[in-house]
Amino acid sequence: MTVATTNFNLLSFIFADLARHPVRVLLFLAVLISAGSVILSAHHNRQMAIALEKMMQQQDQLDVEWRHLVLEQSSLTEHNRIESLVNKNLDMHRPQPDEEVVVRIR
């Protein structure tokens, strides 16, 4: 029995085939680049949607906090509350008509 020795160089066949069809190679590379850019843009879009959702949740939390602060401010600045604190803590009272002093400026 004799063994046939064939010495094929696979790389030379591949490069020869690529050299024969450069347009097909360029189109294949364009398809690969396009697919990669679609994947990257979809990933970027998802990341932006996640960031937008987090910001909207933060906006809602800040809105609730602002409403609570407005309610607290309105309750702390009520006229009756301030007047009772002034009477109790500072011993102040409304002046009587005979205690009033009118200052006239010319």
Side-chain angles (χ1 to χ4, degrees), residues 36-49:
S37 64
V38 166
I39 291 169
L40 287 177
S41 67
H43 176 69
H44 183 69
N45 189 20
R46 286 187 194 110
Q47 295 299 319
M48 288 296 171

Side-chain angles (χ1 to χ4, degrees), residues 25-65:
V25 172
L26 290 176
L27 287 176
F28 179 71
L29 290 176
V31 167
L32 288 180
I33 291 171
S34 175
S37 64
V38 166
I39 291 169
L40 287 177
S41 67
H43 176 69
H44 183 69
N45 189 20
R46 286 187 194 110
Q47 295 299 319
M48 288 296 171
I50 290 169
L52 177 65
E53 184 67 30
K54 286 181 183 177
M55 286 184 174
M56 290 180 76
Q57 288 175 353
Q58 184 181 14
Q59 179 186 7
D60 291 342
Q61 290 173 350
L62 289 173
D63 191 35
V64 168
E65 183 181 352

Side-chain angles (χ1 to χ4, degrees), residues 79-80 83 86-87 91-100:
H79 182 69
N80 294 335
E83 191 172 344
V86 165
N87 286 335
D91 292 331
M92 296 178 77
H93 61 279
R94 288 195 175 274
Q96 300 297 328
D98 58 337
E99 295 175 334
E100 290 181 4

Side-chain angles (χ1 to χ4, degrees), residues 79-89:
H79 182 69
N80 294 335
R81 182 181 179 280
I82 293 173
E83 191 172 344
S84 68
L85 285 174
V86 165
N87 286 335
K88 185 163 84 173
N89 295 341

